[in-house]
Amino acid sequence: MDKNVQEKLFTGMIKFTPPLYKQRYQFIKDLVGKYKPKKVADLGCADCTLLWMLKFCSCIEVLAGLDICENVMKEKMHRLSPLPGDYLQPAERSLTVTLHHGSVAHKDPCMCGFDLITCIELIEHLEESELEKFPEVVFGFMAPTMVVITTPNSEFNPLLPGVTFFRHPDHKFEWNRAEFQSWALGIARCYDYSVEFTGVGPPPTGMEHVGFCTQIGVFVRKYSQTSESVHFEKPTKAAYKTVFKAVYPSLKDEKYLQNAVVSEVVFTAQVIKRSLLAHLKSEHEEYNDSPAEIKSKFQHSKNCVSEDPEKLAVERSMEPFVNGNVVYIPLTKIFSFPKVNQLCGTFDKLCKLITGKVTLSSDGSAVMVNTEHENEEEEN
Ligand code: SAM
């Protein structure tokens, strides 16, 4: 069939599922899943949707966005703030999210040292003078390990309903695959990167010759950043304005780690206490003891070998015991619980983090938990 006739048939029928912008974001998410970058920046981040999606990738510790339009960034930037749940259950990893107002035509040291920089549907919005500076700023100065650039493939345009010239009135150009690839290969050569081409939004059957709707270049830096091949001197002057910064609560921060450990120790101690008391109760019930007798026996559990809690602590074992109205739970027992163990790493760290925050026996070897409340419950 004649190519023009075929194009006419397809025009108006193209509908991407999921929508093309989601396919672009998914492409980045898959790449992040594969390469696990710690520091990721999105240039031309607009309303920060991609950044918001990326904040859920647990490998990422630093997320940054840059856009020339401050208002568009501010529209939904609240989505990048930590939620109450982030404070209630701080994550293992640290995460800082920062948004900058500025242009990709300017150098600012805050964009150096990234593992991945994404430029999704950005380059076609750049003025000629900005596009000229872009390679030197992104590949020469920012010099991340990986850069992903996406841009419309103009060869696909005849298949898009209503597109007669460019896909968007703000586009300064739209390239076909040869134009994009020649530009990208030139940059890769100049700045010592490799580049591979792919895309999202596949053409319909019979129209494969037009390529993907969105063309993508994935650049990987060939040299190590610590080597002398860092070509350009880094200015220290800031060119961007920081408009948003969120530091997420993390267990890497001693303050949050201490809270988490103390909560877990108190919870674990309660679990152990309940289980010990239930065990003692079932033993006494076998002998038909009255509630008052049970209470009295709780105060002298069979584990209790001495009246002196200090002495008891010295005679410490892994097992908890009751003395009077107090259950003594050896820290070694608590440390053997996987969650506590995982949080603290070492026994010394556990001791350090709970000292002064949890009631301990005078030699510091056991957590003391009162049984009084428990006994009252029994009597009621
Ligand atoms: N990357 C986003 C996405 O895929 O959803 C938004 C792309 S939007 C089509 C292009 C964005 O680039 C706009 O938010 C625009 O403000 C921004 N932009 C245009 N020129 C820029 C420049 N010189 N520096 C930084 N951002 C720029």
Side-chain angles (χ1 to χ4, degrees):
M1 195 187 300
D2 179 84
K3 228 172 93 179
N4 288 335
V5 177
Q6 243 179 343
E7 277 178 5
K8 276 205 180 86
L9 280 175
F10 284 112
T11 304
M13 285 168 51
I14 300 288
K15 191 171 180 260
F16 293 109
T17 318
L20 205 52
Y21 77 95
K22 283 196 181 166
Q23 292 191 34
R24 288 192 285 263
Y25 296 160
Q26 192 57 48
F27 180 86
I28 302 297
K29 271 195 89 177
D30 292 345
L31 215 63
V32 166
K34 188 168 171 195
Y35 294 102
K36 310 252 178 284
K38 280 190 178 174
K39 297 180 76 178
V40 180
D42 187 27
L43 311 183
C45 62
D47 68 359
C48 311
T49 303
L50 177 61
L51 292 171
W52 173 78
M53 283 175 73
L54 293 179
K55 85 169 188 155
F56 300 101
C57 299
S58 58
C59 60
I60 297 177
E61 296 182 358
V62 175
L63 262 182
L66 172 72
D67 205 286
I68 203 163
C69 180
E70 192 172 350
N71 289 341
V72 75
M73 268 195 299
K74 283 183 165 173
E75 255 172 42
K76 294 181 187 165
M77 71 181 181
H78 60 271
R79 292 185 298 172
L80 299 174
S81 297
L83 298 168
D86 294 316
Y87 289 98
L88 289 171
Q89 226 169 359
E92 196 79 53
R93 58 133 179 200
S94 57
L95 174 63
T96 304
V97 185
T98 317
L99 297 180
H100 306 279
H101 172 224
S103 169
V104 289
H106 298 138
K107 297 175 181 175
D108 185 310
C110 74
M111 280 296 166
C112 294
F114 279 80
D115 301 309
L116 170 65
I117 285 186
T118 56
C119 307
I120 311 298
E121 307 298 274
L122 165 71
I123 57 169
E124 65 276 10
H125 291 267
L126 300 179
E127 301 285 353
E128 207 179 324
S129 63
E130 294 174 316
L131 186 69
E132 247 169 51
K133 290 178 184 146
F134 175 89
E136 159 55 12
V137 174
V138 175
F139 293 86
F141 175 75
M142 297 177 183
T145 313
M146 190 179 270
V147 181
V148 178
I149 297 179
T150 83
T151 194
N153 165 20
S154 63
E155 291 163 83
F156 201 101
N157 286 1
L159 302 184
L160 294 173
V163 174
T164 46
F165 188 49
F166 289 156
R167 296 184 195 178
H168 191 278
D170 188 53
H171 286 179
K172 310 298 184 293
F173 60 89
E174 284 178 4
W175 282 335
N176 61 30
R177 282 169 294 171
E179 287 168 321
F180 176 57
Q181 291 180 16
S182 138
W183 177 80
L185 285 165
I187 290 175
R189 246 190 323 272
C190 179
Y191 294 97
D192 209 5
Y193 279 70
S194 64
V195 60
E196 282 182 12
F197 301 100
T198 179
V200 290
T205 314
M207 295 300 290
E208 287 81 2
H209 61 275
V210 301
F212 288 105
C213 190
T214 294
Q215 48 184 338
I216 302 177
V218 179
F219 301 75
V220 177
R221 201 185 58 215
K222 286 196 201 162
Y223 61 93
S224 134
Q225 207 165 31
T226 48
S227 78
E228 289 183 3
S229 48
V230 180
H231 320 255
F232 304 94
E233 226 176 81
K234 312 257 172 196
T236 49
K237 230 177 116 224
Y240 310 150
K241 181 178 88 175
T242 303
V243 292
F244 174 91
K245 184 166 182 174
V247 180
Y248 278 63
S250 152
L251 294 177
K252 291 218 170 95
D253 179 332
E254 190 92 348
K255 179 177 71 185
Y256 292 108
L257 178 64
Q258 184 170 50
N259 282 345
V261 168
V262 168
S263 307
E264 200 54 37
V265 165
V266 169
F267 173 76
T268 307
Q270 289 295 334
V271 170
I272 295 171
K273 177 190 83 173
R274 294 230 162 100
S275 141
L276 175 64
L277 296 186
H279 173 71
L280 292 175
K281 187 173 166 230
S282 71
E283 267 194 354
H284 294 309
E285 276 170 357
E286 267 182 39
Y287 300 101
N288 292 324
D289 288 343
S290 67
E293 282 170 320
I294 292 172
K295 179 181 179 184
S296 133
K297 284 179 181 172
F298 271 1
Q299 293 170 348
H300 303 281
S301 86
K302 68 168 189 169
N303 310 51
C304 175
V305 291
S306 164
E307 287 299 308
D308 180 359
E310 295 307 308
K311 260 180 106 185
L312 283 170
V314 174
E315 292 159 8
R316 79 179 103 128
S317 70
M318 271 290 276
E319 294 315 310
F321 55 83
V322 183
N323 185 58
N325 286 329
V326 177
V327 180
Y328 289 79
I329 303 161
L331 279 178
T332 45
K333 174 90 181 168
I334 290 179
F335 187 62
S336 72
F337 276 63
K339 187 98 187 272
V340 178
N341 194 293
Q342 190 199 338
L343 278 170
C344 305
T346 66
F347 186 73
D348 284 349
K349 184 94 182 178
L350 167 68
C351 298
K352 186 179 158 228
L353 288 170
I354 62 169
T355 301
K357 300 278 175 187
V358 174
T359 311
L360 295 176
S361 57
S362 61
D363 72 343
S365 70
V367 173
M368 296 167 68
V369 189
N370 215 297
T371 63
E372 255 165 12
H373 182 56
E374 221 75 23
N375 291 342
E376 275 161 24
E377 268 179 13
E378 292 300 325
E379 282 161 11
N380 290 336

